[in-house]
Amino acid sequence: MNSRGRFITLEGGEGAGKSTLLKGLHDHLLQRGVTLLQVREPGGTALGEAIRSIVLDPSHPDISAESELLLMFAARAQLVRERILPALTAGQWVLCDRYVDASYAYQGAGRGQPQERIAELERWACAGLKADLTLLLDLPVSTGRARAAGRGAADRIETEADAFFERVRQAYRERAEAEPQRFHVIDASQSPDNVLQAAIAAVDHVFEANS
Ligand SMILES: Nc1ncnc2c1ncn2[C@@H]1O[C@H](COP(=O)(O)OP(=O)(O)OP(=O)(O)O)[C@@H](O)[C@H]1O
Ligand SMILES: [Mg+2]
């Protein structure tokens, strides 16, 4: 009989190296014989990818903070039910590029939506699903923005001012401090290989605790 898989989320600001790390972690877990689903937020389902193209499209500058929050949770509710929960139930591990912490950081601290409102949406939309481990890639805003700028045109959220991303970074750090048993903070200014080794150490700790 399969035991439930483990749910690992990656968080951090723009250009922190989440997508880069996911590739390395994916390979590492495969080598350990773990069956794996890798998804990203917003996205990961047909509905979620359609929502992603709307919320990240810079030609929609008029999307309200309330609408953005609801769209993020609409995508998340679908992703949890359609892909993440079935995979975990089948014993697969799930690696997710951003999850609910991103809404507290971006729509909460960034856009000023009340934390209690986000918590209410979380209870309702996430079906009680919390990450087993959250890897927070922490990086000065300027470094992350310089990295992300190398990738070409900015999306709608990337066009925000530095102050927005400073609030996002601070919110992530506060969440990590409040839940040290779930979060593992990684200094993302290190080389990609050092970031990967730090992540592997954290993941293997969870792996061993649950194998
Ligand atoms: N540790 C690192 N040191 C230097 N450069 C890095 C590091 N990790 C990633 N990069 C580079 O920085 C850029 C952004 O990395 P990546 O796309 O992985 O970030 P991200 O967190 O996924 O960004 P986004 O939030 O915008 O999706 C890429 O060009 C990547 O090659
Ligand atoms: Mg990315």
Side-chain angles (χ1 to χ4, degrees), residues 11 36 38 78 109 136 142 183:
E11 299 283 359
L36 201 63
Q38 188 176 316
Q78 190 68 24
L136 173 59
S142 56
F183 273 93

Side-chain angles (χ1 to χ4, degrees), residues 39-97:
V39 284
R40 68 171 178 182
E41 279 213 350
T45 65
L47 175 68
E49 291 295 330
I51 290 173
R52 181 185 184 92
S53 66
I54 294 168
V55 292
L56 296 185
D57 183 348
S59 67
H60 293 308
D62 50 350
I63 292 178
S64 71
E66 290 77 9
S67 304
E68 181 180 297
L69 177 63
L70 290 167
L71 284 167
M72 292 299 188
F73 269 99
R76 184 168 297 135
Q78 190 68 24
L79 180 64
V80 165
R81 286 162 182 77
E82 188 178 319
R83 302 207 58 201
I84 299 179
L85 286 175
L88 292 173
T89 304
Q92 293 180 20
W93 287 41
V94 177
L95 284 181
C96 194
D97 190 339

Side-chain angles (χ1 to χ4, degrees), residues 8 18 40 65 91 124:
I8 300 171
K18 299 177 295 298
R40 68 171 178 182
W124 179 51

Side-chain angles (χ1 to χ4, degrees), residues 11-23 52 97-98 106 137 143-144 146-151 155 158 187-195:
E11 299 283 359
E14 320 304 297
K18 299 177 295 298
S19 301
T20 304
L21 174 60
L22 267 175
K23 289 195 197 88
R52 181 185 184 92
D97 190 339
R98 297 192 186 283
Y106 282 79
L137 297 186
T143 315
R147 285 185 191 170
R151 281 187 319 218
D155 67 35
E158 284 170 350
D187 172 3
S189 65
Q190 304 175 84
S191 70
D193 194 51
N194 284 357
V195 170

